[in-house]
Amino acid sequence: MSDTTATTETATPPATKSVGAPGRTERLRRPRTYAVLIGSLLLLVLPFYLDRFWLQAGLFAMAAAIGAIGLNMLTGATGQLSMGHAFFLAVGAYGYCVLAGESGTENGHTLTGLGLPTWLAAILAVLLAGAAGGAFSPIAGRLRGAYLGIATLALIFIGQHVLFNAGSLTGGYNGRSVPPLFLFGFTFDDSELLVAAVPFGSSEKLWYLGLAALLLSALFARGVLRGRPGRAMNAIRDHRIAAGVMGVPVARYRAGVFVLSSMYAGLAGVLLALVFQRTVPEYFGMILSLEYLAMIVIGGLGSVAGAVVGAFFVSLLPQVLTHYSDSLPLVSAPGTGGLAPGEASRYLYGAAVVAVVLFLPGGLARLGLALPRVTRPKKTGEKK
């Protein structure tokens, strides 16, 4: 009996070790891991090869992805319909201009500026957007469905009125210039910086800033959605009354998510302002809010990856159509008559919304789940 026991004790540790080790090895061998590594390396080297047009298009997509992540936490994860996301982007963009800009005259308007350090102005602009969301959060915490959508739609009309008429802050119809960001000893403007014999302008410099902002935003949102707050948000979305019975403070969570979503929109607005180098009131209208809703529906509601995929699809489509309008059928260059690239892109992602709702409710981010998985054969003695 002692021999049997000794044999069992000596045989058990190798079996346990052989089961655990392949699991870690399998994670490293997953195609998704290699895809992430290759994609990350590709994104890091793109500024060395792409021209300014494509870099700016990528930066627009990054800013849109940040804003879409915030809206997806609000609408996709918590179930709060927001039609006023463009308002908070405008708060972030113009907040940065006012906080970082200098007082002076531009296009016939006497502009007000506080002249703060640009890195501090960017942080305060994001907080200002969150404060605007906090001012609206009592309403957001009590309304739901179409009523909340109509209430947030009012923010667009209020914001457009302020942007066009508060000339000392916004510059009126012509907007105002955006001060370049100064961070870590670098000025993110068009002054050339040689990196490996490649001249880096504002787009190349902002590329890495946008990547860092998008990565941090996605990781934070992923942690929120996968943790206890995310489970509470999903419970509120699926059954508000049951969530309240279970002890979830429904009104507090709804208001808090609205503030967080507003801060994401403010960060996206700051990045957009830095890329555009000029803020124009007309850009932050109802169409922009509808585009953000299209992003999260096409990409996938309640998913960080879905928000990123949808944002890249919706924001890059008009850029691609504009760039290749001469060689694409049924699409004409802007101003030449016919179907303009902007109109064609809206038709296409409008059709994409209908197709996703009918045939792919999980969005484009769920396409990978429908593909067959490659599994390695089980080794002898390994548990199934």
Side-chain angles (χ1 to χ4, degrees), residues 84 86-91 94 152-167 170 172-173 280-289:
F87 170 81
F88 299 104
L89 271 88
V91 171
Y94 279 97
T152 54
L153 187 61
L155 292 175
I156 296 295
F157 298 108
I158 295 174
Q160 288 288 287
H161 178 77
V162 173
L163 293 179
F164 282 116
N165 293 281
T170 65
Y173 287 83
V280 182
E282 187 178 359
Y283 178 76
F284 302 97
M286 188 185 303
I287 293 179
L288 183 61
S289 290

Side-chain angles (χ1 to χ4, degrees), residues 4 57 70 83 94 97 144 161 180 185 187 198-199 209 232 287 290 292 307 313 315 341 344 366 375-376:
T4 305
M83 300 284 291
Y94 279 97
C97 292
R144 57 193 180 94
H161 178 77
T187 303
V198 177
L209 180 66
I287 293 179
L290 294 177
Y292 271 95
F313 178 82
S315 60
R366 300 290 181 179
T375 57
R376 62 180 181 83

Side-chain angles (χ1 to χ4, degrees), residues 28-42:
L28 294 175
R29 291 178 178 175
R30 287 177 179 174
R32 181 179 178 183
T33 304
Y34 290 109
V36 170
L37 292 176
I38 295 173
S40 301
L41 181 61
L42 181 62

